[in-house]
Amino acid sequence: MEIRLSVLFLVLLGGLAYGLLAQEPTATLEPGTGTSTELMALEDAFAADRGDLDLARRLSAEYLRMGQPGMAIAAVRAAAPELAADPLLSHRLSLAYEASGRLDDALATAHLALTRCERAIGSSRAALTTVPPRFACNPPTLISLEQHTQALVSMVRWGVTDPRTDPRAPVARNLAQRRASIASLAE
């Protein structure tokens, strides 16, 4: 019995070590390179002024581009509370939630961003009971928000648990993009 437990423990320990070693880093920054210097400058500027919408958008977009959704979530949450009403910043938060595998949070945030954008544009679909918009939104952003929301709706409906590995996630994105293309042709 003792030998079985020891073997089981060694197998578990070996599996854990393999899991830690088998993962590729998503993005690396070499000190002194242009990318790391630019990111550090952006982080410093944002830390000095968390109420700057442009900095919050740029920093969250950079973290998403680097494959660091957790850092993008932290950046958006560290922004001044009044910036949370911006549809594009909410969209970036939704993308970060999706990239980290939190689909329910991603869908709720995407719905909120879409409603805020519709309200800012003056869409008849926007709920008239929402607070008047403080941030602007434009039609291309609205289309992007609609596509992302529709893709998330499909992923949640299909039971996707990890959009990074589930082959249904790209299918959901493709279908949402096709629907938007067809809708734009019909108008």
Side-chain angles (χ1 to χ4, degrees):
M1 179 69 170
E2 189 174 314
I3 293 174
R4 288 181 187 169
L5 287 175
S6 296
V7 170
L8 178 63
F9 178 71
L10 285 174
V11 169
L12 288 174
L13 190 59
L16 179 64
Y18 176 75
L20 292 173
L21 295 174
Q23 295 180 2
E24 285 185 32
T26 53
T28 57
L29 288 176
E30 296 295 325
T33 63
T35 305
S36 69
T37 306
E38 291 168 11
L39 180 61
M40 287 188 302
L42 190 58
E43 289 173 333
D44 289 342
F46 181 67
D49 185 7
R50 295 187 188 274
D52 187 328
L53 179 60
D54 182 55
L55 286 174
R57 285 177 174 178
R58 288 177 30 216
L59 184 59
S60 60
E62 185 62 24
Y63 283 139
L64 284 171
R65 186 192 66 74
M66 293 173 53
Q68 298 292 329
M71 293 298 289
I73 292 168
V76 172
R77 289 192 172 183
E82 61 271 8
L83 298 184
D86 177 57
L88 187 55
L89 194 58
S90 295
H91 177 57
R92 298 251 167 83
L93 181 60
S94 177
L95 290 169
Y97 282 145
E98 178 188 357
S100 63
R102 296 170 59 182
L103 286 180
D104 289 334
D105 291 332
L107 181 57
T109 307
H111 276 301
L112 185 60
L114 179 61
T115 301
R116 286 178 175 156
C117 187
E118 288 173 340
R119 175 72 184 195
I121 289 177
S123 171
S124 60
R125 293 184 293 182
L128 297 177
T129 58
T130 60
V131 177
R134 195 177 146 224
F135 296 99
C137 196
N138 56 34
T141 301
L142 178 64
I143 291 169
S144 178
L145 292 172
E146 287 175 338
Q147 285 179 352
H148 187 233
T149 303
Q150 187 57 48
L152 288 169
V153 165
S154 295
M155 283 187 247
V156 169
R157 185 179 302 135
W158 296 343
V160 172
T161 56
D162 188 355
R164 298 166 292 188
T165 58
D166 195 314
R168 295 173 292 180
V171 173
R173 288 186 199 98
N174 252 346
L175 288 174
Q177 187 175 9
R178 286 182 185 171
R179 284 186 198 119
S181 297
I182 291 170
S184 67
L185 290 173
E187 291 179 357

